[in-house]
Amino acid sequence: MMKRSILCMLTALALCAALLAGCGGSSSSSQAGSAANSAPASSEQTAETRAGAENAAADLDAVAEKLLEANPISNQFEIAAMNIEYDFMLAADDVVSYKGVRSNDNGDAGLVLVIQPAAGRSEAICETLETYKQDQVAFYGNYPEFGQAQANVQNAVIKGSDSLVVMVIASNECDADLGPAVDAVFAQ
């Protein structure tokens, strides 16, 4: 019995060590992805594709800045690669690059997310963002004190084209209609 207990303890320690080692590597790679503000379409990108994504990222910065002028978000939290995959449930292969921030204030759903979709994936991204929107409406509905945030999420603007997808949720301090700001971005 004593040998079995020691064996179980050693196995548990070995698994914990492996788990911690795995998390450490994952953390550094997600930080690198966050710094680049892009989720690669595949690990086999050519130099030309990466250069195109970097140029597109610069355009996404300008689009995000325009939307933030219309929808100033307090206490901004930059959206990272892991948020794209795990919060928004977007497939990495669908997203060439992205730029986004959301409010880090409790009860404020403010969000600006700009995505360069992979070829032919714009509609799928819009559908997935619509699902995210509905999930957030349900989440904020659980908290009566977050009524403003729930209303803002219900009025979120999601729009896409072959080369750009945008999702904007008004911050609690924004009283502007964000539809015209999103339309202006697509008119360029």
Side-chain angles (χ1 to χ4, degrees):
M1 182 76 164
M2 181 72 152
K3 289 180 183 180
R4 194 162 122 187
S5 176
I6 291 172
L7 180 61
C8 287
M9 188 182 321
L10 289 174
T11 303
L13 287 173
L15 288 174
C16 287
L19 180 63
L20 289 174
C23 290
S26 174
S27 174
S28 65
S29 65
S30 73
Q31 288 174 351
S34 173
N37 285 331
S38 65
S42 75
S43 60
E44 300 172 0
Q45 288 181 324
T46 64
E48 183 178 323
T49 305
R50 282 191 300 273
E54 289 170 8
N55 291 337
D59 295 336
L60 295 182
D61 286 341
V63 171
E65 287 302 318
K66 279 190 167 239
L67 293 171
L68 283 168
E69 288 174 12
N71 182 28
I73 295 176
S74 64
N75 195 14
Q76 293 180 6
F77 175 82
E78 192 163 344
I79 295 172
M82 91 174 173
N83 302 117
I84 292 294
E85 187 174 350
Y86 296 114
D87 294 348
F88 297 101
M89 305 304 285
L90 294 170
D93 291 343
D94 290 351
V95 177
V96 173
S97 61
Y98 68 93
K99 175 72 177 176
V101 295
R102 63 181 170 194
S103 176
N104 201 29
D105 289 342
N106 195 15
D108 188 343
L111 169 79
V112 169
L113 178 61
V114 183
I115 298 171
Q116 179 187 2
R121 301 306 299 162
S122 177
E123 187 175 326
I125 290 173
C126 288
E127 290 171 3
T128 303
L129 291 177
E130 185 64 37
T131 300
Y132 171 81
K133 172 183 166 180
Q134 297 307 318
D135 290 345
Q136 291 299 297
V137 167
F139 169 77
Y140 284 111
N142 292 322
Y143 304 97
E145 65 271 22
F146 296 154
Q148 179 66 47
Q150 184 183 31
N152 290 348
V153 175
Q154 286 172 327
N155 295 318
V157 179
I158 301 170
K159 187 170 182 173
S161 69
D162 289 340
S163 61
L164 183 67
V165 174
V166 170
M167 179 176 192
V168 180
I169 300 172
S171 70
N172 287 351
E173 297 179 18
C174 176
D175 57 4
D177 177 12
L178 296 175
V182 171
D183 291 341
V185 164
F186 281 90
Q188 295 179 352

